[in-house]
Amino acid sequence: MLPEIFTLLNPLIEKIIENREPSESTEAWLYIAERYRSTALAATMPPTAAPAPSEALPTLSDVPALVDRLNRAAFAKALAEHLRAVSDPARGAFMVHLHGPWGAGKSTVLKLLDAELKTGSDPWLVIDFNAWQHQRLRPPWWSLVRTLYEHPAARGCAGSWRRWWRLRWWQWRAERGAAIAVVVVTTLFLVTLLNGWGNSLQGITGLLALVGGLIAAQRWLVFGSAKAAESYSQQAVDPHKPMTLLYRYFVRSCAGWTGAPWYFTRQNRPIAIFIDDLDRCERGYVVELMEGIQTLMRDEPVAFVIAADRNWLSSAFEKHYADFAGDIGTPGRPLGHLFLDKFFQLSAGLPVVTAQSRDRFWRMLLEGEGAAPILSDDSRTKLDQAPTIEAKQAIVAALPDAEQPAARAAIVEASYAPEQQKTLEHRLRDFAAMIEPNPRAMKRLVNAVAINRTRAVLEGRDVDLATLARWSILEMRWPRVAAQLIDEPTLLDDDGADEPLGSVRKLSSFRQILGGEDDPGRLNSARLAELFG
């Protein structure tokens, strides 16, 4: 319509412009003419295309995430349930290995586990130790104990115990080096007297020398540096005993022990020590730190959670004890893994990132915050009414995609109920003949199956308990073979497979774990592809 109006008015407008005279009416007509001209031209132009979307992306940080993006909070909650179950003052240390390659999210899971343990009616004292930041200080046990001593939470709970620790260390060190300390201090004092007090400059110099000597002796006596700790470790007859006692006082005071130093009353406050980035340290430090924990700290009821790549730790021990590697271990279970089996009661691999989780994570990175996973009341009721974990998994498979992450988290939480744990232990008795005949292996099997079931549920894999039990036993006994099959399940059908599978598959115990045609949970390449495909 506008172009037609402009065509009719255009001759009049041109005449006004040609014969214009200064007047208010002429200016008004000119203003109207220009407005019609611009409007009509705009109406005749083709529509402007929408602006192209911006291709700019935000700069993302690689620090551990504080918000759960991959449904890892349920996994952290499962780990917390394991730690709570073994929290007993009558037991010694409980060692957990959280393994995965670099960048898999181990530090993030530690943050989530930290938050989980600090909630509830029985909050834990959690202390973080970054091994990579301390590896320049030797011996490793010194920097770890000093971190405990200087931790803000320890300052709040220890109170007068810090002074007691310092006095005890004076006593221990003086018992071993009193003669040297006395000689140093006496010599400095005699030098001061010989210089005379009459000359003010000599007197000040002597006084400063005396003060400096006393400070140096105090630092030496009180164990004030890593160098002093290393020197002491080399000179003392039993360097670990004082540190063991110091660590014991720390645990008992911070865990709620009260009373005189020679008498304690226990108040339940569990302690967890998180050790991160150990897979960035050189092998000597790795071995020293882990062996120090085993020798100094294994008797106190503290949960250690070590986040590190399993291959890195295993390789560190294999190279450190290379002289024994040929005589100890098997192709599927080398020397390094034997050490890890000895150290850890629970080994937990991070859940893999499923396609659904990956897509949701990408959307979050590119578009910002997304809606948190939700679970409707109706879906939750159905899950609560399902009698077994397998029945709950069948219900989740029929739920909308938006509800499945929260539903899987609910299944994991339900799986740690006491009645479900008893059911798990009872059902695993059928597989007792496949594991090594010792109590330690039986306990580790229950822990391994529980954590593998948690991973399978969170990854959305419908896996029966018999299959999980067989796989957990295989992974415990031959971890290198398990790693091969995770990467390529079809190797199980290849009679000429490379080592270590090539040698292990000939063992009757290996074939027993795989199972026959009619055995429940039989492991074959197709089943492994379902587990890890």
Side-chain angles (χ1 to χ4, degrees):
M1 185 67 182
L2 285 176
E4 287 80 359
I5 295 175
F6 178 75
T7 303
L8 294 174
L9 293 177
N10 190 55
L12 177 61
I13 293 170
E14 293 295 338
K15 188 174 182 180
I16 292 173
I17 295 174
E18 180 181 354
N19 301 317
R20 63 181 177 178
E21 294 179 358
S23 68
E24 293 183 3
S25 60
T26 303
E27 295 297 330
W29 274 105
L30 287 173
Y31 173 76
I32 294 172
E34 291 298 327
R35 289 294 303 271
Y36 271 112
R37 188 195 300 273
S38 60
T39 305
L41 288 174
T44 59
M45 294 181 64
T48 304
S54 173
E55 295 185 0
L57 293 175
T59 300
L60 302 174
S61 172
D62 193 34
V63 298
L66 301 178
V67 180
D68 183 26
R69 311 292 190 191
L70 295 172
N71 206 24
R72 297 282 175 85
F75 182 71
K77 188 176 184 66
L79 288 179
E81 290 298 328
H82 278 285
L83 296 182
R84 291 189 181 103
V86 299
S87 177
D88 185 350
R91 298 181 181 179
F94 187 81
M95 305 287 291
V96 178
H97 181 202
L98 181 64
H99 63 83
W102 286 6
K106 298 186 294 295
S107 298
T108 295
V109 172
L110 286 182
K111 294 292 184 183
L112 295 171
L113 179 59
D114 181 295
E116 181 65 35
L117 289 175
K118 290 179 179 177
T119 59
S121 58
D122 189 19
W124 288 50
L125 171 61
V126 180
I127 296 176
D128 298 311
F129 178 78
N130 189 289
W132 192 33
Q133 295 177 359
H134 291 87
Q135 73 165 334
R136 295 182 180 275
L137 300 177
R138 298 294 183 93
W141 49 262
W142 176 85
S143 55
L144 176 57
V145 173
R146 189 178 182 99
T147 297
L148 306 182
Y149 180 79
E150 295 178 345
H151 194 276
R155 295 180 182 180
C157 68
S160 60
W161 285 100
R162 291 173 63 82
R163 293 188 293 273
W164 171 255
W165 295 343
R166 184 171 291 271
L167 290 174
R168 285 293 295 163
W169 186 255
W170 271 72
Q171 175 187 343
W172 292 325
R173 193 65 184 95
E175 289 174 356
R176 292 163 174 78
I180 298 176
V182 169
V183 170
V184 172
V185 174
T186 302
T187 301
L188 290 173
F189 183 70
L190 291 176
V191 170
T192 302
L193 290 180
L194 292 175
N195 285 338
W197 296 96
N199 188 308
S200 59
L201 181 59
Q202 290 181 344
I204 293 174
T205 303
L207 182 61
L208 291 176
L210 178 60
V211 171
L214 290 175
I215 292 175
Q218 186 267 347
R219 284 180 57 82
W220 180 70
L221 287 170
V222 180
F223 200 27
S225 66
K227 187 67 176 178
E230 184 177 9
S231 175
Y232 171 75
S233 179
Q234 296 171 353
Q235 296 175 11
V237 176
D238 184 8
H240 288 168
K241 182 178 180 180
M243 292 306 301
T244 302
L245 293 176
L246 186 66
Y247 174 72
R248 180 183 302 169
Y249 289 139
F250 164 80
V251 172
R252 295 186 177 187
S253 59
C254 290
W257 295 63
T258 59
W262 55 87
Y263 174 76
F264 299 98
T265 301
R266 171 77 182 188
Q267 305 294 326
N268 186 27
R269 191 187 183 189
I271 298 177
I273 298 175
F274 291 175
I275 299 179
D276 198 7
D277 285 343
L278 190 58
D279 50 5
R280 298 188 183 187
C281 302
E282 53 93 12
R283 71 171 185 268
Y285 184 90
V286 171
V287 173
E288 284 186 68
L289 178 61
M290 293 184 65
E291 290 183 343
I293 293 173
Q294 277 290 95
T295 54
L296 272 72
M297 306 174 181
R298 63 183 176 184
D299 294 331
E300 297 303 316
V302 174
F304 286 86
V305 182
I306 298 180
D309 180 77
R310 178 166 53 189
N311 293 332
W312 187 282
L313 300 188
S314 175
S315 178
F317 280 97
E318 288 174 16
K319 292 180 179 179
H320 190 80
Y321 292 101
D323 293 341
F324 301 96
D327 302 322
I328 302 176
T330 63
R333 197 180 186 188
L335 178 64
H337 283 281
L338 293 176
F339 274 100
L340 299 190
D341 287 346
K342 178 66 176 177
F343 281 120
F344 298 110
Q345 287 82 36
L346 174 63
S347 182
L350 293 183
V352 300
V353 180
T354 63
Q356 184 183 14
S357 298
R358 183 177 62 245
D359 292 342
R360 188 171 59 252
F361 190 69
W362 270 116
R363 289 197 301 270
M364 183 277 300
L365 291 179
L366 299 177
E367 302 171 8
E369 286 291 335
I374 58 173
L375 184 62
S376 67
D377 293 338
D378 181 58
S379 299
R380 185 174 293 278
T381 301
K382 292 179 180 178
L383 287 176
D384 292 340
Q385 293 175 349
T388 64
I389 300 300
E390 287 85 354
K392 295 178 188 292
Q393 286 182 284
I395 292 174
V396 171
L399 293 179
D401 290 345
E403 292 191 45
Q404 289 191 11
R408 295 191 193 107
I411 292 179
V412 169
E413 184 175 357
S415 69
Y416 285 91
E419 62 274 13
Q420 291 289 348
Q421 288 295 98
K422 290 181 181 179
T423 301
L424 173 64
E425 294 175 8
H426 178 75
R427 294 176 65 182
L428 288 179
R429 292 178 182 176
D430 296 337
F431 302 92
M434 301 180 190
I435 61 177
E436 295 167 307
N438 60 71
R440 185 168 174 272
M442 298 176 187
K443 294 177 182 177
R444 291 188 69 240
L445 175 61
V446 174
N447 292 335
V449 172
I451 204 68
N452 281 338
R453 183 171 65 177
T454 294
R455 292 179 57 191
V457 171
L458 293 178
E459 293 168 3
R461 305 183 190 279
D462 185 12
V463 184
D464 62 275
L465 184 63
T467 301
L468 285 175
R470 291 181 183 276
W471 172 257
S472 299
I473 295 171
L474 190 153
E475 190 175 33
M476 288 168 51
R477 298 191 63 174
W478 300 286
R480 286 279 175 88
V481 173
Q484 265 188 303
L485 295 176
I486 289 174
D487 291 338
E488 187 51 64
T490 57
L491 287 176
L492 200 58
D493 300 328
D494 184 4
D495 293 333
D498 295 335
E499 298 296 339
L501 178 59
S503 297
V504 172
R505 71 185 310 146
K506 302 174 183 178
L507 302 176
S508 60
S509 56
F510 181 75
R511 294 194 298 270
Q512 181 189 17
I513 292 172
L514 294 181
E517 291 290 342
D518 299 327
D519 290 334
R522 176 176 179 263
L523 295 179
N524 53 34
S525 57
R527 202 70 180 108
L528 293 180
E530 293 178 9
L531 274 172
F532 308 109

